[in-house]
Amino acid sequence: MSVSELKRRRTFAVISHPDAGKTTLTEKLLLFSGAIQIAGTVKGRKSNRYATSDWMEIEKQRGISVASSVMQFEYGDCVINLLDTPGHEDFSEDTYRVLTAVDAAVMVIDGANGVEAQTLKLLEVCRSRKTPIVTFINKLDREVREPLDLLDEIEQHLGVSAVPFTWPIGMGKEFQGVYDIQNDQVRVFRAGQDTLGGAVETIQALGDEEGERRFGHAWVRAKEEIDLITGATPTFDRDEFLAGQQSPVLFGSAINNFGVKEILDALVDLAPPPSARLTVQRPVQPDEPKFTGVVFKVQANMDLAHRDRVAFIRVCSGRFERGMALKVTRNNKTFRANNVVTFLSQRRETVSEAYAGDIIGIPNHGTLSLGDTLTEGEQLQFVGLPFFAPEIFQTVEVVDPMRSKQLGEALKQLGEEGAIQVFKPVVGGLTILGAVGQLQFEVVSHRLSTEYKVDVRMAPARYRMSRWVTCDDAAELRRFCDSYSPRIAYDAADAPTYLASHISEIEVAQKAWPKIVFNELREHSGAPFRKAM
Ligand code: G4P
């Protein structure tokens, strides 16, 4: 494949605690790059601010958010893929899975609130994957915390070393701009000024006297602080950044377009192009000629008449062409990818092809499940797409027994979509749903009723935890599943799961069956997460 196409790809997500400014920043990034022309085009889900019912109404418009959940645009010589992440913590599993599809992330921190709970969680995921992070401290046009304290907090709580690239001159009403430390340049802030066209005033190598005359005490203070941190923080090291250990920090105000260009520049200059990805069989290099991809997200289309779903695929290697034959390695089935959604808004001619790092959407009726690997024929299974052992369990029962079959089909689809985890007990009993957050049950119940016309009753199950059971010795796994059959259930990918009410039950089972592995995480649906037949 073309090396230049590969090198110019940047694929990233914006992560933040709700309300820190993710939606605002996303919109400004798109405006800045010319991908959209009018503010207000990007609809943030803002689910955190709504009651459940409102949230569902918003979800009803998902036709819109399918398009806005991946945005591709060009900036400079680069093709940038920006992936949306759900804001509400009950959907954190979705967010984790989206993060497996990116090569870098922009972390937005509300300067008044500092590091918040959700930021912390998301950053842990990024760190475990060694995802490079660019930090943007937002809302400098308001009274925010002391910048030195904010840096300290990032280092303490997030465990990355923060290297300021810019430094604020004042804040709130007194916010006057930022000093670009590396380039010895001041970028002047003017409230309400539209800096989209790059109209921001810059001053090169401003002397101290001149600085004080122009910006007053805020300048003196900023310089003192910069002196202080220059001695205390390490110099920027790109390798450490690429390993997720160092994060460049930029200050600004998303709503004022201030600091947005610097983020794009940092992504283009510092963030990595697509790199190798692991499969069960071997690492896959992005410049391999053959196409490979992984389904990291499945979103039901709200077009009830067609009931299709869009599978979002991260291209991992090679070049995708519309109409090519692709093999789903989970079941060896081949299909032709004729109907494909791509997300580049500016360049028509590239719409029918995609390269490593890009995201393509394939509408389908159940051919593609979350975690599936697509290849031109090779038997590969990408790893790393997490399913977490749920923390809340409910039984689900159809109100009208005549709709049982529809319930089964609907749950199969919702399970494959990853909206909720579905466990079918081996021995009779009701289907059990497992979730990370309560809101997931409410959304599933609502969707069952509106999309599938199946009304259900849900009730707390007696289980509190589950573990995916695996074993190198298939016969041993079968014996285990037989012995514990009342507690064994199969999930949407047919992986056997052990259900428990208390951790001690898992510990006892583990002692009695030392060869069985009790997994809290399932990273794919290939072996060893297979049915013990
Ligand atoms: P989220 O996606 O992370 O949840 O945050 P979002 O962008 O929706 O921003 C949350 C609130 O913070 C919004 O205000 C937004 O206008 C505001 N905001 C974002 N960036 C800045 C900034 O640089 N400075 C200031 N002062 N505010 C900022 P809202 O009143 O809750 O919503 P809206 O009515 O403005 O849409």
Side-chain angles (χ1 to χ4, degrees):
M1 78 166 277
S2 158
V3 173
S4 61
E5 286 294 348
L6 182 65
K7 285 236 163 83
R8 68 195 202 103
R9 257 52 188 185
R10 299 287 183 278
T11 303
F12 77 102
V14 181
I15 55 174
S16 76
H17 190 85
D19 266 0
K22 179 168 75 78
T23 311
T24 310
L25 178 65
T26 302
E27 182 164 286
K28 300 300 177 187
L29 288 170
L30 296 178
L31 279 168
F32 202 91
S33 66
I36 56 171
Q37 266 78 45
I38 318 157
T41 315
V42 177
K43 293 274 172 280
R45 296 232 185 120
K46 296 197 174 176
S47 44
N48 50 304
R49 296 201 218 145
Y50 294 88
T52 310
S53 54
D54 290 337
W55 187 83
M56 285 166 180
E57 284 306 311
I58 293 164
E59 269 298 275
K60 275 191 187 166
Q61 301 159 6
R62 236 170 329 167
I64 303 166
S65 62
V66 166
S68 67
S69 52
V70 176
M71 291 150 274
Q72 192 183 52
F73 56 90
E74 292 193 38
Y75 179 72
D77 288 336
C78 283
V79 174
I80 297 189
N81 296 292
L82 167 53
L83 276 58
D84 188 26
T85 53
H88 197 290
E89 61 177 335
D90 280 10
F91 301 95
S92 51
E93 216 179 17
D94 271 350
T95 304
Y96 295 148
R97 289 194 282 254
V98 169
L99 289 178
T100 65
V102 302
D103 301 312
V106 173
M107 171 168 71
V108 184
I109 289 179
D110 182 332
N113 298 338
V115 173
E116 296 174 86
Q118 192 67 357
T119 331
L120 203 68
K121 268 196 180 169
L122 292 166
L123 202 92
E124 268 169 25
V125 181
C126 290
R127 222 184 10 214
S128 71
R129 302 183 54 80
K130 298 193 167 54
T131 308
I133 309 276
V134 175
T135 303
F136 181 69
I137 300 187
N138 191 24
K139 307 195 186 179
L140 264 290
D141 59 321
R142 285 193 183 161
E143 286 305 316
V144 293
R145 307 245 307 268
E146 288 300 330
L148 284 172
D149 293 348
L150 287 166
L151 283 197
D152 206 38
E153 195 166 290
I154 293 169
E155 302 217 335
Q156 298 279 328
H157 292 297
L158 302 181
V160 287
S161 85
V163 184
F165 274 33
T166 61
W167 198 259
I169 305 168
M171 65 170 80
K173 287 200 179 66
E174 309 298 315
F175 183 48
Q176 313 207 42
V178 292
Y179 176 69
D180 179 335
I181 298 172
Q182 289 178 328
N183 300 312
D184 189 16
Q185 187 184 68
V186 172
R187 284 195 277 278
V188 183
F189 174 75
R190 285 210 186 86
Q193 183 192 37
D194 187 349
T195 55
L196 262 192
V200 59
E201 182 193 351
T202 58
I203 309 168
Q204 201 64 43
L206 182 66
D208 277 349
E209 265 178 41
E210 180 65 12
E212 190 173 352
R213 202 177 51 77
R214 170 127 193 214
F215 300 115
H217 184 65
W219 171 259
V220 180
R221 177 125 194 228
K223 286 297 261 188
E224 279 169 8
E225 288 170 340
I226 292 164
D227 283 346
L228 216 72
I229 46 152
T230 334
T233 55
T235 49
F236 179 72
D237 179 328
R238 182 148 188 261
D239 289 337
E240 291 209 10
F241 163 68
L242 293 179
Q245 287 158 358
Q246 255 192 19
S247 176
V249 178
L250 303 159
F251 291 84
S253 168
I255 204 153
N256 290 294
N257 288 326
F258 193 79
V260 174
K261 179 181 181 295
E262 288 72 28
I263 296 176
L264 285 170
D265 288 339
L267 285 167
V268 166
D269 296 341
L270 307 175
S275 55
R277 306 217 135 211
L278 286 182
T279 67
V280 173
Q281 292 78 8
R282 63 178 184 85
V284 170
Q285 302 298 333
D287 57 355
E288 290 181 18
K290 292 246 160 96
F291 168 87
T292 63
V294 60
V295 179
F296 66 93
K297 171 177 170 145
V298 174
Q299 193 155 20
N301 196 318
M302 297 306 283
D303 182 352
L304 295 183
H306 293 98
R307 186 165 293 162
D308 57 353
R309 334 181 239 177
V310 176
F312 288 80
I313 293 139
R314 149 118 191 179
V315 180
C316 300
S317 69
R319 173 168 172 267
F320 171 83
E321 266 175 83
R322 190 186 296 269
M324 76 194 299
L326 296 177
K327 178 167 114 172
V328 185
T329 61
R330 172 173 48 89
N331 54 17
N332 272 327
K333 286 192 177 142
T334 300
F335 71 98
R336 253 182 213 287
N338 290 317
N339 184 11
V340 187
V341 187
T342 45
F343 305 93
L344 186 64
S345 55
Q346 288 164 305
R347 283 201 5 203
R348 288 261 166 239
E349 71 268 28
T350 58
V351 161
S352 54
E353 59 179 25
Y355 297 91
D358 288 343
I359 311 298
I360 51 176
I362 302 189
N364 66 98
H365 293 277
T367 322
L368 297 175
S369 287
L370 206 53
D372 278 351
T373 296
L374 301 177
T375 69
E376 289 187 38
E378 190 177 349
Q379 192 56 38
L380 295 171
Q381 171 64 57
F382 282 100
V383 298
L385 195 85
F387 289 82
F388 298 98
E391 287 155 23
I392 325 171
F393 295 84
Q394 299 216 335
T395 56
V396 55
E397 191 177 5
V398 68
V399 172
D400 172 6
M402 300 289 281
R403 304 288 294 162
S404 301
K405 194 164 157 253
Q406 281 80 359
L407 175 66
E409 187 52 35
L411 287 179
K412 183 169 173 290
Q413 290 191 11
L414 292 171
E416 285 170 357
E417 193 187 307
I420 200 143
Q421 294 193 36
V422 181
F423 298 100
K424 281 212 155 17
V426 174
V427 185
L430 299 173
T431 301
I432 295 166
L433 303 182
V436 177
Q438 184 65 33
L439 192 52
Q440 280 180 272
F441 292 115
E442 291 166 36
V443 169
V444 161
S445 175
H446 176 81
R447 290 186 57 190
L448 283 171
S449 161
T450 52
E451 288 173 43
Y452 300 93
K453 306 281 173 270
V454 183
D455 290 320
V456 295
R457 272 190 291 268
M458 292 193 192
R462 62 193 175 94
Y463 300 113
R464 301 250 179 290
M465 47 192 64
S466 67
R467 295 289 184 269
W468 285 283
V469 283
T470 56
C471 187
D472 290 340
D473 177 351
E476 177 81 346
L477 185 59
R478 202 178 321 116
R479 277 192 294 277
F480 175 81
C481 290
D482 288 345
S483 307
Y484 283 88
S485 55
R487 287 180 168 279
I488 300 294
Y490 288 98
D491 77 358
D494 262 350
T497 315
Y498 175 79
L499 299 166
S501 312
H502 194 269
I503 187 77
S504 63
E505 293 169 6
I506 296 172
E507 288 163 1
V508 169
Q510 174 74 90
K511 259 204 187 119
W513 297 79
K515 282 161 83 180
I516 303 288
V517 184
F518 293 78
N519 303 275
E520 269 186 79
L521 190 71
R522 174 164 77 71
E523 288 201 45
H524 55 84
S525 54
F529 298 99
R530 288 270 166 84
K531 207 162 187 166
M533 286 297 175

